[in-house]
Amino acid sequence: MLARELANAPRVIIAAHPTRGLDVQTIAFVNNQLIACRDRGAGVLISSADIAEAWQVADRIMVLAAGRLYGPVSVSETTLHEVGQWMTGR
């Protein structure tokens, strides 16, 4: 399915939990494909509860939790710990 959707080099990709339930090798493949699309200039929006997944692919990160919006902020300007705190409302 991923190959079909990326075959025409889309300019925008919206992926909700793109690696949920996949094995480690397939997760790496999917993330590499999303990164390649991002690097060629496509807009890639990932919705995921897996902070590590988002962190690997994202240039910027934004969190919506408990009715509050945090970010967007460049991943280079924050930490996993800080984003984790946003996710838990602390």
Side-chain angles (χ1 to χ4, degrees):
M1 183 169 80
L2 180 66
R4 180 189 72 218
E5 295 301 323
L6 299 181
N8 293 323
R11 294 185 354 201
V12 176
I13 299 163
I14 300 172
H17 308 284
T19 61
R20 181 182 287 169
L22 300 177
D23 64 82
V24 174
Q25 185 176 1
T26 307
I27 289 171
F29 175 78
V30 169
N31 285 337
N32 287 337
Q33 293 301 305
L34 293 172
I35 290 167
C37 290
R38 177 200 69 193
D39 290 349
R40 71 167 171 71
V44 179
L45 175 67
I46 296 176
S47 174
S48 179
D50 183 348
I51 191 172
E53 174 179 64
W55 202 265
Q56 181 180 359
V57 177
D59 292 323
R60 291 181 300 265
I61 197 155
M62 190 163 66
V63 173
L64 177 61
R68 294 198 58 198
L69 181 64
Y70 302 89
V73 64
S74 172
V75 293
S76 65
E77 295 174 4
T78 190
T79 65
L80 281 169
H81 178 75
E82 181 178 30
V83 173
Q85 288 182 320
W86 295 347
M87 292 173 78
T88 59
R90 295 183 184 160

